[in-house]
Amino acid sequence: MTGLINRFICLFSCIPNWIYTTLARIFVGLSFYRSGLTKFDDYFEIRSVTYTLFNNEYFPNAPFPESVINVMAFCAAYAEVILPVLLFIGLGSRFAALGLLVMTIVIQFVYPSAYMLHLSWGIALLTIIVNGAGPLSLDYFIKKSRG
């Protein structure tokens, strides 16, 4: 039994950390990107239902006027599409991951029963924040080209 456990440990210790980081970027990026696309119509304009969702479901008792919540909806919708793209290409990855981590924390307050999903996003995002995007990223190539 010990030999089998040692083989598993050896197998996973041989996998470079950048593979985990790259998978984390793709996993979280796809989750947010797909959700973000639902907030736009075919002409990439924010759907009215997005504003309704923010006002009536996400922040129904918020002490903010509707106009402030609409600005939040606008910013969140675009962030849900732009930040994942930055993660995919690995540009400003730590910044993008931090933005999505803040969104994840807000989403957790809105949907507290989905804590396991939010926890998995948070762990993946923290991995990116701590380790960076890895060598399959524009961040890496920019850093390497600067010497």
Side-chain angles (χ1 to χ4, degrees), residues 81-142:
V81 173
I82 293 169
L83 295 178
V85 170
L86 292 175
L87 281 184
F88 293 146
I89 63 175
L91 181 62
S93 300
R94 287 185 163 117
F95 166 77
L98 181 62
L100 292 175
L101 182 61
V102 169
M103 287 181 69
T104 300
I105 292 167
V106 173
I107 294 167
Q108 174 57 34
F109 284 109
V110 176
Y111 297 112
S113 63
Y115 65 91
M116 291 304 289
L117 175 63
H118 303 151
L119 186 60
S120 67
W121 290 346
I123 291 168
L125 291 165
L126 285 172
T127 299
I128 298 163
I129 292 168
V130 170
N131 296 321
L136 290 179
S137 68
L138 288 178
D139 287 343
Y140 179 82
F141 291 113
I142 290 168

Side-chain angles (χ1 to χ4, degrees), residues 30-73:
L30 283 174
S31 297
F32 277 91
Y33 187 76
R34 291 181 70 204
S35 173
L37 288 180
T38 66
K39 294 174 176 59
F40 294 92
D41 64 16
D42 293 338
Y43 302 104
F44 214 66
E45 293 180 12
I46 297 178
R47 298 168 58 211
S48 62
V49 70
T50 301
Y51 295 111
T52 303
L53 199 61
F54 268 73
N55 282 289
N56 297 340
E57 186 173 338
Y58 297 168
F59 303 104
N61 300 319
F64 312 116
E66 184 178 337
S67 60
V68 171
I69 295 174
N70 287 344
V71 169
M72 290 168 47

